[in-house]
Amino acid sequence: MTKKTILKISGMHCASCAVSIETFLKKQKGITSVNVNFASEKVYLEFNPSKISLEKIKKHIKILGYKAQEPGGHDHGGETRRLRNTFVGSLLLGLPLFYLSMGKMIGLPQPAISFKTNIAVQFLTTTAIMVLNSHIYISGLKKLIQKNPNMDSLIETGTLAAYFYSLAVSVSFWLNPDIKETHFYFESTGFILVFISLGKYLEAVTKGKTSQAIKKLAGLQPKKTTVIKDGKEIKIPISKVKAGDIVLVKPGEKIPVDGKVIDGYSALDESMVTGESIPVEKKKDDEVIGATINKTGVLKFEATRIGKDTMLAQIIKIVEEAIGSKAPIQLLADRVSFYFVPAVMLIAIFSFVIWLSLGQPFVFALTSLVSVLIIACPCALGLATPTAVMMGTGLAAQRGILVKSGKALEVAEKVNIVVFDKTGTLTEGKPSVTDILSVTKLKVKNEKLKIAIQNSKLSEDQIKILQLAASVEKNSEHPLAQAIVNEAKKKKIKLFTVSHFRAIPGKGAAGKLKAKNKKLKVLIGNRRLMKENKVVIQPSSYKTIKNLEKQGKTVMMAAFDKKLVGLIAVADTLKEYSKESVRALHKLGKKVAIITGDNKRVGQAIAKQLGIDYVLAEVLPADKARAVKKIQEGEKAGSWKLEAGDSTTQRVVAFVGDGINDAPALAQADLGIALGSGTDVAIETGEIILVKDDLRDVIAAIDLSKFTLKKIRQNLFWAFFYNSVGIPIAAGVLYPFTGWLLNPALAAAAMAFSSVSVVFNSLLMKRYKPAKAY
């Protein structure tokens, strides 16, 4: 049995740190899955507690030079303040260093101190800045010893090379003041660390902003609430609320936990959880969601889900896991980051050797080496994908769309056909009886059949058929069965006691009714059920059935004692936004299919109303996944077939469903989209969950995925472009043509801002505006 957990990691300084932790942990016995997110500074683990303990995992991470603890133990705000203080201290020490080393070059008045004193002050201020940034050197040295260098190793190697070279020249000058040509790089070392500390501080600030969605969600829940105990109103912390408690919420207060209204009437603002801006009316027996705001009346409700079981907690968990997951596109950046630092070190040494061999002075070659080491930054590569995924999933959550993984975002962008389940997805799933037709007179001597219904427009035969069908279907939970039972309740028909009830998936239901001193079989269902039980259907009945089905109605046949006695037609109403959602998908260039257990005529009637391209009818629940697979492989399934001239056999399929029997299809599809009103099984299986139960959110999810992937590609392009251009320039490739060699301090500034620019580009996603496809 595996266990999932999240650990906060402190001490990661670049993407290669994250990759090295991930690579090491994957090798440990008992760990089945591990994802390290550099942007959120967390590791998402799945492990077998019987083979490896959480404490052992923490020790492994500590051996690598990092600290791991439970979420909440690591204060991101405190880390940001520490980095800010390091930068401010480095800057204050760097200003006199800049003044002494470069003041004369820009015309600043020089202090009346000797050259030796000037060198001594530069040495001391540079050393102080290095001490202030000692964490870089400790981290870099550890990784070098482990033969797994990271970004800190590059900074350490570059700055120490410049520092010790300058120190050696200083000592030589002090011993022999007659030396005329001296080159000091104290200021380069100091400025590099100032810019690095600035970069790390800005990176921490911007990374913190990308996770604001989770912070906002976590801050929605109130701290205290009012419960009624022994007739008294008591104010208690929300952590003390238990399932079954009666909670009182007054106007303007937040609903503390999920529950069911037992008294009162009000309108709730659910926008912060579902994204729905219009307040939702709540009355007795309605469900309420924790963290929503009570706008008008007073509500009493029974707490049903508390703590980690509330919808808000589940939303936060899903968003957290999505941030921790990796989109396939990120794997490329991870592979590059893993080999990047050693490759940069080789390039730096190579450039140093080449310039020396070409006759350039040692100082020139050293400048090239230091610049290459400093300008190289795998951080931008490591931040490119996770920051965009964090923003994308956060934006989606604010709109009531829960994306479970980065992979789901990437797949959603590629979807080219969307398959909808019919009942409960495209339709309300609450059908009603439209027609009751008598085929054969029921000759059963039972007093209950002789019920006179006052003010009823139904004939005695129609009443008998409805009574018989409802008596069997009262044991079924199928929406069509419930429609028949509800119709019988409306007509105040007393039902029979039926024994040996059996629901037959995809076909109907059967039961036994006591008549003529024996139990006779009653069947309610479709053609297949009648055929299997050898019930004879007259041609005139077939004609009637076809006419009803052309109208988009589902016809159920009622058979008693192996004779067809009547037909009951049921129609399901379309959901509010079904038509415009299909139309919007067509505008996006997607094909749309419908999958249903109903016969072809019903499926085609619905498809005609909505403008759907393909119909997969008479599909049993167990066969839905198989039908989806056929579509993926381009095989014929129902009215689905490859279009003429289309050589593409592989389809990227999204399946939209809500029921238990949709779970296999949701899992089989390339992308499973579950409606939030559906069953827990469907929601668990789906990779995207539409909390609002609004089909337009299918389009919003696809559009937001495209937008997020666009940002990821932009980030990766600039990260690769920056390193591809920056490293050769630092190595001196432009020197033969321009006579210019990159200064290490400028290289540090460029490196620092490359990471910040990538994160800032992800933050611009806040400006996202949904595509007006409908």
Side-chain angles (χ1 to χ4, degrees):
M1 185 179 176
T2 58
K3 180 182 177 183
K4 286 184 179 180
T5 193
I6 300 171
L7 293 175
K8 189 78 178 174
I9 305 289
S10 54
M12 288 196 297
H13 301 295
C14 69
S16 59
C17 294
V19 175
S20 64
I21 294 171
E22 189 172 297
T23 304
F24 182 79
L25 290 180
K26 279 181 178 177
K27 295 176 182 177
Q28 306 308 310
K29 190 177 179 182
I31 296 179
T32 54
S33 173
V34 54
N35 278 318
V36 180
N37 191 309
F38 175 51
S40 62
E41 297 177 326
K42 289 178 181 176
V43 56
Y44 299 79
L45 288 160
E46 194 170 335
F47 65 99
N48 188 335
S50 63
K51 293 182 179 179
I52 187 169
S53 67
L54 191 58
E55 289 305 313
K56 186 74 181 271
I57 293 171
K58 288 180 183 178
K59 284 180 182 177
H60 282 314
I61 295 170
K62 189 176 181 181
I63 289 169
L64 291 172
Y66 309 98
K67 187 178 179 183
Q69 48 196 25
E70 308 293 328
H74 179 65
D75 180 14
H76 182 81
E79 180 74 7
T80 303
R81 285 191 294 274
R82 185 187 68 77
L83 292 171
R84 180 197 62 196
N85 294 339
T86 300
F87 163 65
V88 171
S90 300
L91 180 63
L92 291 175
L93 289 167
L95 290 174
L97 180 63
F98 172 81
Y99 184 80
L100 290 173
S101 62
M102 304 186 76
K104 189 176 181 181
M105 293 171 59
I106 58 175
L108 293 175
Q110 293 297 294
I113 57 174
S114 66
F115 189 55
K116 282 186 175 182
T117 305
N118 187 321
I119 294 171
V121 173
Q122 286 191 46
F123 164 71
L124 291 172
T125 51
T126 301
T127 305
I129 293 171
M130 292 173 74
V131 170
L132 203 57
N133 291 273
S134 59
H135 58 280
I136 292 175
Y137 294 94
I138 294 168
S139 168
L141 183 60
K142 278 183 179 178
K143 301 307 286 182
L144 281 172
I145 292 170
Q146 292 169 4
K147 296 179 182 178
N148 190 16
N150 63 355
M151 190 61 218
D152 289 342
S153 304
L154 295 181
I155 297 167
E156 177 182 52
T157 307
T159 54
L160 287 179
Y163 177 79
F164 283 115
Y165 170 78
S166 302
L167 186 61
V169 172
S170 300
V171 170
S172 298
F173 180 80
W174 274 70
L175 295 175
N176 186 7
D178 296 330
I179 297 174
K180 293 181 180 180
E181 192 175 336
T182 54
H183 293 275
F184 299 102
Y185 279 90
F186 286 127
E187 82 285 354
S188 288
T189 300
F191 293 161
I192 285 168
L193 292 172
V194 169
F195 285 125
I196 295 297
S197 60
L198 171 62
K200 286 183 180 290
Y201 168 57
L202 292 177
E203 195 178 291
V205 170
T206 49
K207 278 198 299 186
K209 287 181 179 178
T210 59
S211 59
Q212 278 182 349
I214 289 180
K215 292 174 185 174
K216 284 180 181 177
L217 286 169
L220 288 175
Q221 207 169 39
K223 299 289 184 289
K224 289 188 175 183
T225 191
T226 304
V227 296
I228 299 174
K229 290 188 176 180
D230 301 323
K232 294 180 181 179
E233 295 180 14
I234 306 169
K235 205 89 170 173
I236 63 170
I238 193 170
S239 59
K240 297 279 181 73
V241 177
K242 298 175 182 176
D245 282 353
I246 305 302
V247 182
L248 178 71
V249 183
K250 296 174 183 177
E253 294 181 341
K254 285 184 178 180
I255 304 293
V257 294
D258 297 356
K260 190 174 183 179
V261 177
I262 58 172
D263 188 33
Y265 177 86
S266 185
L268 300 188
D269 177 1
E270 297 183 342
S271 59
M272 62 289 296
V273 176
T274 66
E276 181 59 65
S277 56
I278 300 171
V280 181
E281 293 181 355
K282 298 291 179 181
K283 57 186 184 302
K284 188 178 178 181
D285 293 332
D286 285 345
E287 300 282 339
V288 292
I289 304 169
T292 56
I293 301 172
N294 184 21
K295 302 288 284 184
T296 52
V298 177
L299 286 178
K300 282 183 187 177
F301 69 91
E302 181 184 347
T304 55
R305 290 188 295 271
I306 60 171
K308 62 181 176 59
D309 297 321
T310 63
M311 180 180 281
L312 179 65
Q314 292 299 311
I315 289 172
I316 293 171
K317 181 186 174 187
I318 288 169
V319 175
E320 276 271 13
E321 287 179 352
I323 288 171
S325 67
K326 288 190 177 180
I329 198 170
Q330 190 178 342
L331 298 176
L332 173 64
D334 284 351
R335 283 196 295 270
V336 171
S337 298
F338 186 72
Y339 297 106
F340 189 81
V341 175
V344 167
M345 287 185 159
L346 289 174
I347 292 169
I349 294 167
F350 182 72
S351 66
F352 177 80
V353 172
I354 288 293
W355 286 122
L356 278 182
S357 63
L358 291 174
Q360 290 292 346
F362 178 82
V363 171
F364 184 98
L366 181 67
T367 302
S368 171
L369 180 139
V370 174
S371 295
V372 169
L373 290 174
I374 298 303
I375 202 168
C377 180
C379 297
L381 282 173
L383 291 167
T385 301
T387 52
V389 169
M390 287 168 81
M391 289 300 297
T393 51
L395 286 169
Q398 289 169 15
R399 287 162 172 78
I401 302 168
L402 304 183
V403 182
K404 285 189 176 181
S405 67
K407 180 188 174 186
L409 283 172
E410 192 165 338
V411 174
E413 187 216 23
K414 298 173 184 176
V415 165
N416 50 32
I417 180 164
V418 180
V419 181
F420 287 95
D421 171 53
K422 181 179 79 72
T423 307
T425 303
L426 284 173
T427 64
E428 289 289 353
K430 296 175 183 177
S432 56
V433 173
T434 59
D435 303 87
I436 302 173
L437 302 171
S438 175
V439 175
T440 305
K441 275 189 175 287
L442 271 168
K443 296 177 181 178
V444 180
K445 291 181 181 179
N446 190 304
E447 290 303 312
K448 290 181 179 177
L449 286 174
K450 297 177 181 178
I451 298 173
I453 308 295
Q454 291 182 348
N455 303 321
S456 173
K457 294 178 182 179
L458 297 179
S459 67
E460 185 179 344
D461 285 338
Q462 287 174 316
I463 292 169
K464 289 177 180 179
I465 291 163
L466 180 58
Q467 184 186 37
L468 193 67
S471 297
V472 175
E473 296 287 29
K474 70 180 178 182
N475 299 296
S476 173
E477 294 181 359
H478 195 282
L480 298 179
Q482 291 303 307
I484 293 173
V485 174
N486 290 337
E487 187 66 19
K489 285 180 180 176
K490 280 184 196 174
K491 300 292 187 276
K492 299 179 181 178
I493 297 174
K494 194 172 181 181
L495 303 181
F496 295 117
T497 300
V498 174
S499 61
H500 299 82
F501 171 79
R502 186 163 56 97
I504 306 159
K507 296 172 186 175
K512 288 188 177 181
L513 176 67
K514 189 175 181 181
K516 297 180 183 178
N517 297 318
K518 61 179 179 178
K519 289 185 178 180
L520 298 177
K521 195 170 187 179
V522 182
L523 299 170
I524 309 293
N526 57 23
R527 288 183 186 83
R528 275 187 287 182
L529 183 64
M530 300 300 138
K531 189 176 179 181
E532 285 177 7
N533 288 273
K534 298 177 181 178
V535 174
V536 178
I537 304 173
Q538 297 299 326
S540 58
S541 296
Y542 270 124
K543 188 176 180 181
T544 304
I545 291 167
K546 285 178 183 177
N547 288 334
L548 289 168
E549 287 175 347
K550 281 179 182 176
Q551 299 169 37
K553 297 173 181 178
T554 300
V555 181
M556 287 180 285
M557 303 175 204
F560 181 66
D561 195 16
K562 292 190 178 182
K563 291 178 183 177
L564 184 66
V565 294
L567 305 174
I568 300 177
V570 176
D572 193 359
T573 54
L574 293 174
K575 282 194 174 176
E576 187 178 1
Y577 300 114
S578 294
K579 279 187 181 179
E580 55 190 291
S581 298
V582 172
R583 189 165 60 244
L585 286 168
H586 282 146
K587 282 185 180 179
L588 292 173
K590 316 295 181 188
K591 294 290 184 183
V592 183
I594 182 174
I595 191 165
T596 177
D598 286 331
N599 60 64
K600 289 179 183 178
R601 288 187 186 86
V602 174
Q604 286 168 349
I606 296 287
K608 190 175 180 181
Q609 289 180 58
L610 297 175
I612 285 172
D613 304 298
Y614 308 108
V615 178
L616 289 84
E618 298 178 17
V619 179
L620 293 173
D623 294 333
K624 283 185 180 180
R626 197 176 297 120
V628 169
K629 189 176 182 182
K630 282 185 178 181
I631 292 176
Q632 288 170 317
E633 295 172 352
E635 295 178 24
K636 186 173 180 181
S639 66
W640 163 268
K641 61 181 178 180
L642 285 176
E643 294 172 10
D646 185 358
S647 60
T648 306
T649 56
Q650 186 68 34
R651 296 283 173 165
V652 182
V653 178
F655 182 86
V656 187
D658 72 325
I660 290 174
N661 57 30
D662 292 331
L666 286 165
Q668 173 62 45
D670 299 284
L671 179 69
I673 302 176
L675 300 187
S677 63
T679 64
D680 291 340
V681 177
I683 292 171
E684 191 67 33
T685 311
E687 291 169 292
I688 292 180
I689 300 162
L690 310 182
V691 176
K692 285 185 293 187
D693 198 18
D694 186 337
L695 289 178
R696 293 179 299 175
D697 286 341
V698 173
I699 295 92
I702 292 172
D703 185 63
L704 187 55
S705 298
K706 287 175 70 176
F707 180 68
T708 304
L709 265 291
K710 179 183 174 184
K711 281 293 178 183
I712 289 173
R713 291 189 185 104
Q714 286 176 1
N715 288 347
L716 287 173
F717 170 79
W718 286 114
F720 278 114
F721 177 80
Y722 165 79
N723 284 301
S724 301
V725 173
I727 292 173
I729 290 174
V733 74
L734 296 180
Y735 182 78
F737 310 102
T738 63
W740 177 77
L741 187 67
L742 185 67
N743 183 287
L746 290 176
M751 189 222 76
F753 286 103
S754 67
S755 298
V756 174
S757 64
V758 164
V759 182
F760 181 71
N761 187 45
S762 294
L763 288 174
L764 289 177
M765 291 174 69
K766 287 183 178 179
R767 298 180 180 180
Y768 165 74
K769 291 181 181 178
K772 294 181 179 179
Y774 45 85

